[in-house]
Amino acid sequence: MSHHIVEARNLEFAYPDGTAALRGASFRIEHGESVGLVGANGAGKSTLLLHLNGCLLPAGGEVRIGDVPVTRATLAQVRRSVGFVFQDPNDQLFMPTVGEDVAFGPANMQLPGEEVERRVRESLTAVGAEHLRARPPYRLSGGEKRAAAIAGVLAMSPDVLVMDEPSSGLDPRSRRRLIGLLAGFRHTKIVAAHDLDMIRELCPRTIVLHEGRVAADGPTAGMLGDRELLERCGL
């Protein structure tokens, strides 16, 4: 089985205050698919995504990346396969410069210096941010921070790219650049967003999440053209 496959089976999760965020969510994403994840605030989108690389572990059910179940024992292996771009890039950028930030992951994999350098250079070039290499992250615009965060994930050479609200806070020009960038990636992609136009452009398939359950799953045109479904799910 391809390690690019992502599968959730009857996923259950509740926060410590008792709030049930996931209630039996199930889906399977095949190698190379680009899948949108949509739902109203509180539907469980971010919670679901955080299960895909083990930031959260389920109370019931399971997540599998290929043949590997996501458990505490497999976190290192899973996180080499699944790259996660958080909604707020400030949650990812913490080194003194962008270049050091992008190098952090490969360096901690104990790769040779020349390989780390190659990955930094190629990842920054891929997102059009090579000119930001020596800049401190706190001096970047929102779009520049997003590009730097994506470069840091790409430097790890993931098989699956998971993004939580990647266009949030971007101006129109930065948003168009991001969409063009993501459209060119050959990764398996899972994109959670309120930006339905972006989902329509990037993702042939969409999963609609409602109250922690998969309410619908199918071709994006059908999902986003179903007014009754969207209204019922708060979209």
Side-chain angles (χ1 to χ4, degrees), residues 23-88:
R23 308 166 188 257
S26 297
F27 58 84
R28 178 183 171 92
I29 296 172
E30 302 288 344
H31 167 63
E33 282 196 278
S34 292
V35 179
L37 180 64
V38 303
N41 288 335
K45 300 187 301 300
S46 294
T47 301
L48 177 55
L49 294 187
L50 288 169
H51 280 77
L52 301 185
N53 75 339
C55 288
L56 295 175
L57 296 173
E62 69 172 353
V63 176
R64 301 184 73 87
I65 307 301
D67 291 322
V68 180
V70 181
T71 67
R72 284 188 174 84
T74 64
L75 287 183
Q77 182 178 357
V78 166
R79 288 173 180 169
R80 282 193 293 270
S81 294
V82 180
F84 196 107
V85 180
F86 288 86
Q87 180 174 350
D88 185 350

Side-chain angles (χ1 to χ4, degrees), residues 98-153:
V98 169
E100 290 171 281
D101 226 304
V102 177
F104 181 84
N108 276 273
M109 292 170 64
Q110 299 184 350
L111 297 175
E114 59 271 20
E115 174 64 12
V116 173
E117 169 60 24
R118 183 188 68 81
R119 291 192 181 204
V120 171
R121 183 175 63 253
E122 291 183 358
S123 298
L124 287 172
T125 299
V127 301
E130 58 272 19
H131 62 292
L132 302 176
R133 181 168 183 159
R135 296 266 299 277
Y138 72 88
R139 296 290 298 275
L140 303 181
S141 70
E144 289 170 338
K145 287 181 180 181
R146 185 79 62 194
I150 294 173
V153 170

Side-chain angles (χ1 to χ4, degrees), residues 10-15 22 51 56-62:
N10 300 312
L11 207 57
E12 304 274 349
F13 183 81
Y15 285 100
L22 297 173
H51 280 77
L56 295 175
L57 296 173
E62 69 172 353

Side-chain angles (χ1 to χ4, degrees), residues 164-231:
D164 192 1
E165 299 287 353
S167 65
S168 175
L170 298 185
D171 60 41
R173 182 178 181 181
S174 296
R175 176 183 174 278
R176 290 304 317 167
R177 181 182 179 89
L178 174 69
I179 290 173
L181 172 69
L182 296 180
F185 288 162
R186 296 291 177 252
H187 300 77
T188 300
K189 295 191 290 289
I190 304 166
V191 184
H194 287 107
D195 186 344
L196 300 186
D197 288 333
M198 184 185 70
I199 294 293
R200 187 178 284 107
E201 289 193 53
L202 286 176
C203 304
R205 172 185 168 195
T206 292
I207 296 170
V208 181
L209 206 62
H210 180 56
E211 296 181 348
R213 300 182 177 90
V214 174
D217 181 352
T220 296
M223 298 296 99
L224 300 188
D226 187 336
R227 180 176 296 275
E228 188 279 330
L229 171 68
L230 297 182
E231 290 183 352

